[in-house]
Amino acid sequence: MGEKTNLSVCKTDYVPESIPAECYCNRELSWLSFNERVLEEAGNPSVPIAERLTFISIFQSNLDEFFMVRVGSLRTQQENGFDDCENKTKMTVSQQISAILSRVKELELKKTKIYEQLMGELEVYGIRIINFNRLSNEERKILEQYFDSNIAPFLSPMIIGKQQPFPFLTNKELNAVVLLSNKNGKNKMGIVPCTNTIFKRLIEIPSRPGTFMLCEELILHFVTKLFSHYTVHEKSVIRITRNADIDEHDAIDEDLDYRNFMEGLIKMRKRMSPVRLELSRKIELNAKKELASFVKISEDAVIDCATPLDMKFVFKLREYLHGKKHLFYKRRLPRPSHNIDMRRRVIPQIEKKDLLLFYPFESMKPFLTLLHEAASDESVVSIKITLYRLADKSKIVDALIEAAENGKEVVVLVELRARFDEANNIEISRILEDSGCRVIYGLGEYKVHSKLCLITRNTGRGLSYITQIGTGNYNEKTAELYTDFSLMTANQDIGCDSATVFQNFLLGEVVDYVPFLLVAPNCFQSKIIEYIEAEKEKKLAGNEAYIGIKINSLTDKTIIDALIQASRAGVKIDMCVRGICCLVPGIPGWTENIRVVSIVGRFLEHSRIYMFGKGTEEKIFIGSADFMTRNMVRRVEVGVPVLDKDLKSRIKKIFDSEMNDTEKGRILKSDGSYERRKEKIAFDDSVPSESERKHKEKENPAKFLNSQEYFFELAYKRAPLKKKLLKNAF
């Protein structure tokens, strides 16, 4: 068990002085900059080509969700007559939308260049995506026969008119649009849905294995056959993105069945208004205006794309590359923690010393074992846990069911408002209820995002707690893809605070104050501000001061302003912020003592670390919250102090490695751009090859650090693979 320390702080009022606008970056534009860093990994020649395909698909899916949620929210405000300024850069809603659309169009040009480069490189390995211009006459005839027999019978073309109004276009599905005229010279518009479960998206050319045409391109080429009585003037594949920003707070009504209400909201999302219309080919201006009118979207939200509108087909291409191991990342398996002996029971080990798991480098198995031990341990009275996003066929759910069937009290708070996971969470909540677990559905107006598990025991020494607090979801799948921490402790002060949190959950309330944990919405932001203020006061008094922060996003103005004031006082501040960062470092006189690094790599950086001070006064926390206003005031988040000296030392070393990552770390500059530490990646032949990069690394390894690879190498050294697994691991 870690040392017992009271970390309570006194509440103070914080009133920042006026800070110049240049110290801030707009949230939405900062997010687009993050997604650009994802896109750049698709064009990074040091990344294996099969993995670069994944990055370009992630870029697109990220952008889809951004439009569905963030742009959707802005459009809703605009439609409701609100054009207020946001509180940092003072941009109005209209200005933000305009800036977003302009930036997205720039990124589309960059995506096109990277996509074309990727497709060109794939040809070396026998894979091609082609169009009709690259087919022989014989191949064209074969594809025409294929279209007539296997595709055309399943299509439902229609012409827009009085009898056939413009159809509802499903979110993110592909449709062909054609501009037609009949013998009388009347102009018409035709629509052909291209998304179908019957035919394949990738159609292989029989005479050329590994050469494919996209199904929608085949439909578009032969679309004249579907409208044989008309002349086709222009054609394009189109794709609608719809607003998905549903206000689930409308469900806060004691007379409503919350689970049924959420099911209704999921159905509603499918039919919400469009926020983006993508075209695979440019069409003439009047036709574009008419199409925008039919779709009921503003013309500025119509975006021309020179790449396929749906990138999910790249995962099929990855399958064709299977067997060429050098085109993929080296296979990595989470290793057993070297601090935990899995031949012995886990609970006694936690009672002896706090344990920390670091995903995906270490396995989640010790936590799963802890749950199963608790399910069968006669001394265990109850297990209480918060669930946000779960894996399919969740082993965690299995352990909770086992505990309930063994007569333990199992209390599960299932947050139904985990965006795009609502349906899965609804189904899981039913399974848990049917198994005898007590299920709570969220917490009124506050979304429960905390990662908290409390095991209560009645031992010979009386009541005792085992507490697990993490930075990531209870999800076995993401534990192999995201970097996260999981702390398991028998510290009774932390256990008592956790028990208070759960007691409030059962009463439908939030915690006002607990002495050890950071708990939003009432005592997380205020404590963070006070720790920042304490470091500022140390520096002003001539003492050493330091702040280190590792989060996914930084948007909360109250915390940003406190960090800026600490920087002005001379406090050195290091921040590793993967995504949105609304604070601009390096502004003379204001943020010159702040350094910001972003890591975009093989694994999604997801862990959160909050460090204050040096030496004996040093405080280190991990938790579920980013420094975003929504996390601070509209969610229940939990942060926990790391009290064990060895674990504090380990977390500091991890943080230092991330801040000094030369391979995947980019430095945020004072002009808002991100700069690579090493070679500037360009998308041409002048970029160093992978072999050249490795040669340079071998010559001077001290200058090359990929923190994620380093953490895996360390995990493998501490827990080598058994010979049976070694053959399949690389």
Side-chain angles (χ1 to χ4, degrees), residues 382-386 409-413 437-443 448 454 456 498-511:
S382 68
I383 301 173
K384 298 171 183 174
I385 192 169
T386 59
E409 180 192 24
V410 179
V411 177
V412 186
L413 190 148
C437 300
R438 183 175 179 183
V439 179
I440 310 169
Y441 304 115
L443 196 68
V448 179
L454 179 67
T456 303
S498 301
T500 301
V501 172
F502 278 108
Q503 286 167 10
N504 278 266
F505 284 160
L506 290 166
L507 296 172
E509 298 172 355
V510 294
V511 171

PDB file of all heavy atoms in Angstrom, residues 382-386 409-413 437-443 448 454 456 498-511:
ATOM      1  N   SER A 382     -19.288  -6.493  -2.013  1.00  0.00           N
ATOM      2  CA  SER A 382     -19.846  -5.842  -3.196  1.00  0.00           C
ATOM      3  C   SER A 382     -18.762  -5.440  -4.181  1.00  0.00           C
ATOM      4  O   SER A 382     -17.586  -5.270  -3.810  1.00  0.00           O
ATOM      5  CB  SER A 382     -20.655  -4.599  -2.797  1.00  0.00           C
ATOM      6  OG  SER A 382     -19.793  -3.595  -2.284  1.00  0.00           O
ATOM      7  N   ILE A 383     -19.189  -5.307  -5.432  1.00  0.00           N
ATOM      8  CA  ILE A 383     -18.354  -4.745  -6.496  1.00  0.00           C
ATOM      9  C   ILE A 383     -19.171  -3.630  -7.141  1.00  0.00           C
ATOM     10  O   ILE A 383     -20.313  -3.843  -7.550  1.00  0.00           O
ATOM     11  CB  ILE A 383     -17.974  -5.795  -7.558  1.00  0.00           C
ATOM     12  CG1 ILE A 383     -17.225  -6.971  -6.934  1.00  0.00           C
ATOM     13  CG2 ILE A 383     -17.133  -5.155  -8.668  1.00  0.00           C
ATOM     14  CD1 ILE A 383     -16.966  -8.114  -7.910  1.00  0.00           C
ATOM     15  N   LYS A 384     -18.586  -2.456  -7.213  1.00  0.00           N
ATOM     16  CA  LYS A 384     -19.251  -1.318  -7.852  1.00  0.00           C
ATOM     17  C   LYS A 384     -18.334  -0.776  -8.940  1.00  0.00           C
ATOM     18  O   LYS A 384     -17.122  -0.643  -8.724  1.00  0.00           O
ATOM     19  CB  LYS A 384     -19.572  -0.236  -6.815  1.00  0.00           C
ATOM     20  CG  LYS A 384     -20.530  -0.722  -5.739  1.00  0.00           C
ATOM     21  CD  LYS A 384     -20.685   0.268  -4.601  1.00  0.00           C
ATOM     22  CE  LYS A 384     -21.599  -0.309  -3.506  1.00  0.00           C
ATOM     23  NZ  LYS A 384     -21.678   0.560  -2.322  1.00  0.00           N
ATOM     24  N   ILE A 385     -18.912  -0.456 -10.094  1.00  0.00           N
ATOM     25  CA  ILE A 385     -18.083  -0.076 -11.234  1.00  0.00           C
ATOM     26  C   ILE A 385     -18.844   0.858 -12.161  1.00  0.00           C
ATOM     27  O   ILE A 385     -20.077   0.801 -12.240  1.00  0.00           O
ATOM     28  CB  ILE A 385     -17.609  -1.345 -12.000  1.00  0.00           C
ATOM     29  CG1 ILE A 385     -16.508  -1.019 -13.010  1.00  0.00           C
ATOM     30  CG2 ILE A 385     -18.782  -2.035 -12.677  1.00  0.00           C
ATOM     31  CD1 ILE A 385     -15.825  -2.267 -13.589  1.00  0.00           C
ATOM     32  N   THR A 386     -18.111   1.733 -12.851  1.00  0.00           N
ATOM     33  CA  THR A 386     -18.700   2.600 -13.875  1.00  0.00           C
ATOM     34  C   THR A 386     -18.275   2.083 -15.248  1.00  0.00           C
ATOM     35  O   THR A 386     -17.095   1.833 -15.478  1.00  0.00           O
ATOM     36  CB  THR A 386     -18.228   4.052 -13.717  1.00  0.00           C
ATOM     37  OG1 THR A 386     -16.806   4.113 -13.822  1.00  0.00           O
ATOM     38  CG2 THR A 386     -18.659   4.628 -12.373  1.00  0.00           C
ATOM     39  N   GLU A 409     -23.220  -8.252  -4.055  1.00  0.00           N
ATOM     40  CA  GLU A 409     -23.934  -7.066  -4.528  1.00  0.00           C
ATOM     41  C   GLU A 409     -23.096  -6.446  -5.647  1.00  0.00           C
ATOM     42  O   GLU A 409     -21.934  -6.087  -5.430  1.00  0.00           O
ATOM     43  CB  GLU A 409     -24.124  -6.048  -3.404  1.00  0.00           C
ATOM     44  CG  GLU A 409     -24.862  -4.796  -3.885  1.00  0.00           C
ATOM     45  CD  GLU A 409     -24.812  -3.648  -2.886  1.00  0.00           C
ATOM     46  OE1 GLU A 409     -23.873  -3.627  -2.060  1.00  0.00           O
ATOM     47  OE2 GLU A 409     -25.691  -2.785  -2.947  1.00  0.00           O
ATOM     48  N   VAL A 410     -23.667  -6.345  -6.823  1.00  0.00           N
ATOM     49  CA  VAL A 410     -22.954  -5.766  -7.962  1.00  0.00           C
ATOM     50  C   VAL A 410     -23.740  -4.546  -8.432  1.00  0.00           C
ATOM     51  O   VAL A 410     -24.884  -4.662  -8.875  1.00  0.00           O
ATOM     52  CB  VAL A 410     -22.794  -6.780  -9.115  1.00  0.00           C
ATOM     53  CG1 VAL A 410     -22.064  -6.124 -10.291  1.00  0.00           C
ATOM     54  CG2 VAL A 410     -22.038  -8.017  -8.638  1.00  0.00           C
ATOM     55  N   VAL A 411     -23.127  -3.382  -8.309  1.00  0.00           N
ATOM     56  CA  VAL A 411     -23.742  -2.121  -8.735  1.00  0.00           C
ATOM     57  C   VAL A 411     -22.961  -1.614  -9.943  1.00  0.00           C
ATOM     58  O   VAL A 411     -21.745  -1.418  -9.869  1.00  0.00           O
ATOM     59  CB  VAL A 411     -23.725  -1.075  -7.614  1.00  0.00           C
ATOM     60  CG1 VAL A 411     -24.307   0.253  -8.104  1.00  0.00           C
ATOM     61  CG2 VAL A 411     -24.502  -1.582  -6.397  1.00  0.00           C
ATOM     62  N   VAL A 412     -23.657  -1.433 -11.051  1.00  0.00           N
ATOM     63  CA  VAL A 412     -23.008  -1.020 -12.295  1.00  0.00           C
ATOM     64  C   VAL A 412     -23.670   0.253 -12.806  1.00  0.00           C
ATOM     65  O   VAL A 412     -24.866   0.268 -13.085  1.00  0.00           O
ATOM     66  CB  VAL A 412     -23.104  -2.113 -13.376  1.00  0.00           C
ATOM     67  CG1 VAL A 412     -22.279  -1.707 -14.597  1.00  0.00           C
ATOM     68  CG2 VAL A 412     -22.650  -3.455 -12.838  1.00  0.00           C
ATOM     69  N   LEU A 413     -22.890   1.319 -12.909  1.00  0.00           N
ATOM     70  CA  LEU A 413     -23.393   2.523 -13.558  1.00  0.00           C
ATOM     71  C   LEU A 413     -23.023   2.429 -15.029  1.00  0.00           C
ATOM     72  O   LEU A 413     -21.848   2.487 -15.384  1.00  0.00           O
ATOM     73  CB  LEU A 413     -22.810   3.786 -12.933  1.00  0.00           C
ATOM     74  CG  LEU A 413     -23.477   5.080 -13.416  1.00  0.00           C
ATOM     75  CD1 LEU A 413     -23.482   6.139 -12.320  1.00  0.00           C
ATOM     76  CD2 LEU A 413     -22.833   5.642 -14.672  1.00  0.00           C
ATOM     77  N   CYS A 437     -27.571  -7.964 -11.526  1.00  0.00           N
ATOM     78  CA  CYS A 437     -26.809  -6.770 -11.164  1.00  0.00           C
ATOM     79  C   CYS A 437     -27.763  -5.584 -11.009  1.00  0.00           C
ATOM     80  O   CYS A 437     -28.790  -5.508 -11.673  1.00  0.00           O
ATOM     81  CB  CYS A 437     -25.770  -6.432 -12.239  1.00  0.00           C
ATOM     82  SG  CYS A 437     -24.559  -7.739 -12.534  1.00  0.00           S
ATOM     83  N   ARG A 438     -27.392  -4.669 -10.153  1.00  0.00           N
ATOM     84  CA  ARG A 438     -28.157  -3.441 -10.012  1.00  0.00           C
ATOM     85  C   ARG A 438     -27.562  -2.413 -10.959  1.00  0.00           C
ATOM     86  O   ARG A 438     -26.374  -2.080 -10.857  1.00  0.00           O
ATOM     87  CB  ARG A 438     -28.089  -2.934  -8.577  1.00  0.00           C
ATOM     88  CG  ARG A 438     -28.920  -1.677  -8.330  1.00  0.00           C
ATOM     89  CD  ARG A 438     -28.905  -1.313  -6.857  1.00  0.00           C
ATOM     90  NE  ARG A 438     -29.658  -0.115  -6.583  1.00  0.00           N
ATOM     91  CZ  ARG A 438     -29.754   0.443  -5.382  1.00  0.00           C
ATOM     92  NH1 ARG A 438     -29.147  -0.125  -4.354  1.00  0.00           N
ATOM     93  NH2 ARG A 438     -30.460   1.537  -5.200  1.00  0.00           N
ATOM     94  N   VAL A 439     -28.371  -1.911 -11.882  1.00  0.00           N
ATOM     95  CA  VAL A 439     -27.872  -1.025 -12.942  1.00  0.00           C
ATOM     96  C   VAL A 439     -28.417   0.382 -12.753  1.00  0.00           C
ATOM     97  O   VAL A 439     -29.607   0.582 -12.530  1.00  0.00           O
ATOM     98  CB  VAL A 439     -28.243  -1.561 -14.337  1.00  0.00           C
ATOM     99  CG1 VAL A 439     -27.744  -0.617 -15.421  1.00  0.00           C
ATOM    100  CG2 VAL A 439     -27.650  -2.954 -14.545  1.00  0.00           C
ATOM    101  N   ILE A 440     -27.522   1.359 -12.838  1.00  0.00           N
ATOM    102  CA  ILE A 440     -27.892   2.772 -12.830  1.00  0.00           C
ATOM    103  C   ILE A 440     -27.613   3.310 -14.226  1.00  0.00           C
ATOM    104  O   ILE A 440     -26.554   3.049 -14.800  1.00  0.00           O
ATOM    105  CB  ILE A 440     -27.057   3.573 -11.806  1.00  0.00           C
ATOM    106  CG1 ILE A 440     -27.076   2.891 -10.441  1.00  0.00           C
ATOM    107  CG2 ILE A 440     -27.542   5.008 -11.708  1.00  0.00           C
ATOM    108  CD1 ILE A 440     -26.064   3.477  -9.468  1.00  0.00           C
ATOM    109  N   TYR A 441     -28.539   4.092 -14.777  1.00  0.00           N
ATOM    110  CA  TYR A 441     -28.363   4.645 -16.128  1.00  0.00           C
ATOM    111  C   TYR A 441     -27.929   6.097 -16.044  1.00  0.00           C
ATOM    112  O   TYR A 441     -28.736   7.010 -15.979  1.00  0.00           O
ATOM    113  CB  TYR A 441     -29.664   4.538 -16.921  1.00  0.00           C
ATOM    114  CG  TYR A 441     -30.191   3.129 -16.999  1.00  0.00           C
ATOM    115  CD1 TYR A 441     -31.393   2.782 -16.405  1.00  0.00           C
ATOM    116  CD2 TYR A 441     -29.460   2.140 -17.639  1.00  0.00           C
ATOM    117  CE1 TYR A 441     -31.867   1.483 -16.458  1.00  0.00           C
ATOM    118  CE2 TYR A 441     -29.911   0.836 -17.692  1.00  0.00           C
ATOM    119  CZ  TYR A 441     -31.113   0.517 -17.100  1.00  0.00           C
ATOM    120  OH  TYR A 441     -31.572  -0.770 -17.150  1.00  0.00           O
ATOM    121  N   GLY A 442     -26.619   6.318 -16.042  1.00  0.00           N
ATOM    122  CA  GLY A 442     -26.129   7.680 -16.043  1.00  0.00           C
ATOM    123  C   GLY A 442     -26.489   8.423 -14.770  1.00  0.00           C
ATOM    124  O   GLY A 442     -26.876   7.847 -13.757  1.00  0.00           O
ATOM    125  N   LEU A 443     -26.369   9.756 -14.839  1.00  0.00           N
ATOM    126  CA  LEU A 443     -26.595  10.570 -13.650  1.00  0.00           C
ATOM    127  C   LEU A 443     -27.206  11.907 -14.062  1.00  0.00           C
ATOM    128  O   LEU A 443     -26.558  12.945 -14.007  1.00  0.00           O
ATOM    129  CB  LEU A 443     -25.271  10.797 -12.912  1.00  0.00           C
ATOM    130  CG  LEU A 443     -25.379  11.301 -11.480  1.00  0.00           C
ATOM    131  CD1 LEU A 443     -25.977  10.232 -10.572  1.00  0.00           C
ATOM    132  CD2 LEU A 443     -23.995  11.687 -10.967  1.00  0.00           C
ATOM    133  N   VAL A 448     -21.383  10.357 -16.922  1.00  0.00           N
ATOM    134  CA  VAL A 448     -20.391   9.704 -16.058  1.00  0.00           C
ATOM    135  C   VAL A 448     -19.298   9.102 -16.936  1.00  0.00           C
ATOM    136  O   VAL A 448     -19.494   8.098 -17.610  1.00  0.00           O
ATOM    137  CB  VAL A 448     -21.038   8.625 -15.168  1.00  0.00           C
ATOM    138  CG1 VAL A 448     -19.978   7.954 -14.304  1.00  0.00           C
ATOM    139  CG2 VAL A 448     -22.125   9.250 -14.288  1.00  0.00           C
ATOM    140  N   LEU A 454     -14.781  -0.249  -7.328  1.00  0.00           N
ATOM    141  CA  LEU A 454     -14.595  -0.367  -5.889  1.00  0.00           C
ATOM    142  C   LEU A 454     -15.037  -1.748  -5.414  1.00  0.00           C
ATOM    143  O   LEU A 454     -16.183  -2.142  -5.618  1.00  0.00           O
ATOM    144  CB  LEU A 454     -15.397   0.715  -5.157  1.00  0.00           C
ATOM    145  CG  LEU A 454     -15.314   0.685  -3.624  1.00  0.00           C
ATOM    146  CD1 LEU A 454     -13.909   1.039  -3.148  1.00  0.00           C
ATOM    147  CD2 LEU A 454     -16.338   1.644  -3.022  1.00  0.00           C
ATOM    148  N   THR A 456     -15.545  -3.929  -2.094  1.00  0.00           N
ATOM    149  CA  THR A 456     -15.688  -3.781  -0.640  1.00  0.00           C
ATOM    150  C   THR A 456     -15.628  -5.152   0.021  1.00  0.00           C
ATOM    151  O   THR A 456     -16.329  -6.081  -0.407  1.00  0.00           O
ATOM    152  CB  THR A 456     -17.022  -3.098  -0.297  1.00  0.00           C
ATOM    153  OG1 THR A 456     -17.082  -1.833  -0.975  1.00  0.00           O
ATOM    154  CG2 THR A 456     -17.132  -2.859   1.204  1.00  0.00           C
ATOM    155  N   SER A 498     -13.865   6.805  -2.812  1.00  0.00           N
ATOM    156  CA  SER A 498     -14.563   6.101  -3.894  1.00  0.00           C
ATOM    157  C   SER A 498     -15.937   5.630  -3.434  1.00  0.00           C
ATOM    158  O   SER A 498     -16.919   5.697  -4.197  1.00  0.00           O
ATOM    159  CB  SER A 498     -13.733   4.907  -4.378  1.00  0.00           C
ATOM    160  OG  SER A 498     -12.470   5.334  -4.846  1.00  0.00           O
ATOM    161  N   ALA A 499     -16.016   5.172  -2.186  1.00  0.00           N
ATOM    162  CA  ALA A 499     -17.311   4.753  -1.639  1.00  0.00           C
ATOM    163  C   ALA A 499     -18.280   5.932  -1.596  1.00  0.00           C
ATOM    164  O   ALA A 499     -19.477   5.789  -1.886  1.00  0.00           O
ATOM    165  CB  ALA A 499     -17.122   4.166  -0.242  1.00  0.00           C
ATOM    166  N   THR A 500     -17.768   7.111  -1.266  1.00  0.00           N
ATOM    167  CA  THR A 500     -18.600   8.324  -1.254  1.00  0.00           C
ATOM    168  C   THR A 500     -19.119   8.639  -2.651  1.00  0.00           C
ATOM    169  O   THR A 500     -20.287   9.018  -2.825  1.00  0.00           O
ATOM    170  CB  THR A 500     -17.794   9.518  -0.709  1.00  0.00           C
ATOM    171  OG1 THR A 500     -17.353   9.225   0.616  1.00  0.00           O
ATOM    172  CG2 THR A 500     -18.637  10.785  -0.698  1.00  0.00           C
ATOM    173  N   VAL A 501     -18.263   8.469  -3.639  1.00  0.00           N
ATOM    174  CA  VAL A 501     -18.679   8.713  -5.032  1.00  0.00           C
ATOM    175  C   VAL A 501     -19.832   7.780  -5.402  1.00  0.00           C
ATOM    176  O   VAL A 501     -20.855   8.216  -5.954  1.00  0.00           O
ATOM    177  CB  VAL A 501     -17.492   8.511  -6.000  1.00  0.00           C
ATOM    178  CG1 VAL A 501     -17.968   8.570  -7.461  1.00  0.00           C
ATOM    179  CG2 VAL A 501     -16.425   9.578  -5.763  1.00  0.00           C
ATOM    180  N   PHE A 502     -19.702   6.502  -5.086  1.00  0.00           N
ATOM    181  CA  PHE A 502     -20.753   5.541  -5.436  1.00  0.00           C
ATOM    182  C   PHE A 502     -22.029   5.775  -4.618  1.00  0.00           C
ATOM    183  O   PHE A 502     -23.139   5.597  -5.124  1.00  0.00           O
ATOM    184  CB  PHE A 502     -20.255   4.109  -5.273  1.00  0.00           C
ATOM    185  CG  PHE A 502     -19.468   3.614  -6.455  1.00  0.00           C
ATOM    186  CD1 PHE A 502     -18.094   3.447  -6.384  1.00  0.00           C
ATOM    187  CD2 PHE A 502     -20.110   3.333  -7.665  1.00  0.00           C
ATOM    188  CE1 PHE A 502     -17.368   2.998  -7.480  1.00  0.00           C
ATOM    189  CE2 PHE A 502     -19.388   2.880  -8.766  1.00  0.00           C
ATOM    190  CZ  PHE A 502     -18.020   2.720  -8.674  1.00  0.00           C
ATOM    191  N   GLN A 503     -21.888   6.161  -3.362  1.00  0.00           N
ATOM    192  CA  GLN A 503     -23.070   6.473  -2.561  1.00  0.00           C
ATOM    193  C   GLN A 503     -23.872   7.603  -3.203  1.00  0.00           C
ATOM    194  O   GLN A 503     -25.110   7.571  -3.252  1.00  0.00           O
ATOM    195  CB  GLN A 503     -22.650   6.867  -1.138  1.00  0.00           C
ATOM    196  CG  GLN A 503     -22.198   5.695  -0.278  1.00  0.00           C
ATOM    197  CD  GLN A 503     -21.504   6.155   1.001  1.00  0.00           C
ATOM    198  OE1 GLN A 503     -21.511   7.339   1.344  1.00  0.00           O
ATOM    199  NE2 GLN A 503     -20.876   5.206   1.694  1.00  0.00           N
ATOM    200  N   ASN A 504     -23.160   8.600  -3.714  1.00  0.00           N
ATOM    201  CA  ASN A 504     -23.833   9.709  -4.390  1.00  0.00           C
ATOM    202  C   ASN A 504     -24.479   9.259  -5.696  1.00  0.00           C
ATOM    203  O   ASN A 504     -25.567   9.722  -6.045  1.00  0.00           O
ATOM    204  CB  ASN A 504     -22.849  10.849  -4.630  1.00  0.00           C
ATOM    205  CG  ASN A 504     -22.658  11.723  -3.410  1.00  0.00           C
ATOM    206  OD1 ASN A 504     -23.319  12.743  -3.246  1.00  0.00           O
ATOM    207  ND2 ASN A 504     -21.746  11.308  -2.529  1.00  0.00           N
ATOM    208  N   PHE A 505     -23.811   8.357  -6.424  1.00  0.00           N
ATOM    209  CA  PHE A 505     -24.416   7.809  -7.646  1.00  0.00           C
ATOM    210  C   PHE A 505     -25.778   7.192  -7.337  1.00  0.00           C
ATOM    211  O   PHE A 505     -26.765   7.411  -8.049  1.00  0.00           O
ATOM    212  CB  PHE A 505     -23.517   6.732  -8.257  1.00  0.00           C
ATOM    213  CG  PHE A 505     -22.305   7.258  -8.988  1.00  0.00           C
ATOM    214  CD1 PHE A 505     -21.207   6.429  -9.224  1.00  0.00           C
ATOM    215  CD2 PHE A 505     -22.249   8.559  -9.446  1.00  0.00           C
ATOM    216  CE1 PHE A 505     -20.095   6.891  -9.897  1.00  0.00           C
ATOM    217  CE2 PHE A 505     -21.124   9.036 -10.121  1.00  0.00           C
ATOM    218  CZ  PHE A 505     -20.048   8.199 -10.346  1.00  0.00           C
ATOM    219  N   LEU A 506     -25.825   6.391  -6.279  1.00  0.00           N
ATOM    220  CA  LEU A 506     -27.067   5.690  -5.924  1.00  0.00           C
ATOM    221  C   LEU A 506     -28.173   6.660  -5.520  1.00  0.00           C
ATOM    222  O   LEU A 506     -29.358   6.354  -5.653  1.00  0.00           O
ATOM    223  CB  LEU A 506     -26.796   4.693  -4.805  1.00  0.00           C
ATOM    224  CG  LEU A 506     -25.960   3.463  -5.218  1.00  0.00           C
ATOM    225  CD1 LEU A 506     -25.447   2.721  -3.993  1.00  0.00           C
ATOM    226  CD2 LEU A 506     -26.789   2.529  -6.092  1.00  0.00           C
ATOM    227  N   LEU A 507     -27.783   7.837  -5.047  1.00  0.00           N
ATOM    228  CA  LEU A 507     -28.761   8.859  -4.677  1.00  0.00           C
ATOM    229  C   LEU A 507     -29.070   9.806  -5.835  1.00  0.00           C
ATOM    230  O   LEU A 507     -29.868  10.730  -5.686  1.00  0.00           O
ATOM    231  CB  LEU A 507     -28.237   9.669  -3.483  1.00  0.00           C
ATOM    232  CG  LEU A 507     -28.050   8.899  -2.167  1.00  0.00           C
ATOM    233  CD1 LEU A 507     -27.351   9.780  -1.142  1.00  0.00           C
ATOM    234  CD2 LEU A 507     -29.395   8.411  -1.646  1.00  0.00           C
ATOM    235  N   GLY A 508     -28.402   9.565  -6.977  1.00  0.00           N
ATOM    236  CA  GLY A 508     -28.604  10.437  -8.133  1.00  0.00           C
ATOM    237  C   GLY A 508     -27.951  11.793  -7.967  1.00  0.00           C
ATOM    238  O   GLY A 508     -28.397  12.785  -8.553  1.00  0.00           O
ATOM    239  N   GLU A 509     -26.855  11.838  -7.195  1.00  0.00           N
ATOM    240  CA  GLU A 509     -26.201  13.112  -6.904  1.00  0.00           C
ATOM    241  C   GLU A 509     -24.720  13.055  -7.272  1.00  0.00           C
ATOM    242  O   GLU A 509     -24.172  11.987  -7.535  1.00  0.00           O
ATOM    243  CB  GLU A 509     -26.344  13.427  -5.403  1.00  0.00           C
ATOM    244  CG  GLU A 509     -27.794  13.576  -4.947  1.00  0.00           C
ATOM    245  CD  GLU A 509     -27.911  13.688  -3.432  1.00  0.00           C
ATOM    246  OE1 GLU A 509     -26.875  13.553  -2.741  1.00  0.00           O
ATOM    247  OE2 GLU A 509     -29.035  13.889  -2.944  1.00  0.00           O
ATOM    248  N   VAL A 510     -24.094  14.236  -7.274  1.00  0.00           N
ATOM    249  CA  VAL A 510     -22.652  14.313  -7.495  1.00  0.00           C
ATOM    250  C   VAL A 510     -21.968  14.708  -6.192  1.00  0.00           C
ATOM    251  O   VAL A 510     -22.585  15.290  -5.299  1.00  0.00           O
ATOM    252  CB  VAL A 510     -22.299  15.328  -8.603  1.00  0.00           C
ATOM    253  CG1 VAL A 510     -22.812  14.850  -9.944  1.00  0.00           C
ATOM    254  CG2 VAL A 510     -22.836  16.717  -8.287  1.00  0.00           C
ATOM    255  N   VAL A 511     -20.681  14.397  -6.099  1.00  0.00           N
ATOM    256  CA  VAL A 511     -19.908  14.665  -4.887  1.00  0.00           C
ATOM    257  C   VAL A 511     -19.579  16.154  -4.790  1.00  0.00           C
ATOM    258  O   VAL A 511     -19.137  16.764  -5.766  1.00  0.00           O
ATOM    259  CB  VAL A 511     -18.606  13.838  -4.910  1.00  0.00           C
ATOM    260  CG1 VAL A 511     -17.674  14.264  -3.787  1.00  0.00           C
ATOM    261  CG2 VAL A 511     -18.914  12.356  -4.799  1.00  0.00           C
TER     262      VAL A 511
END
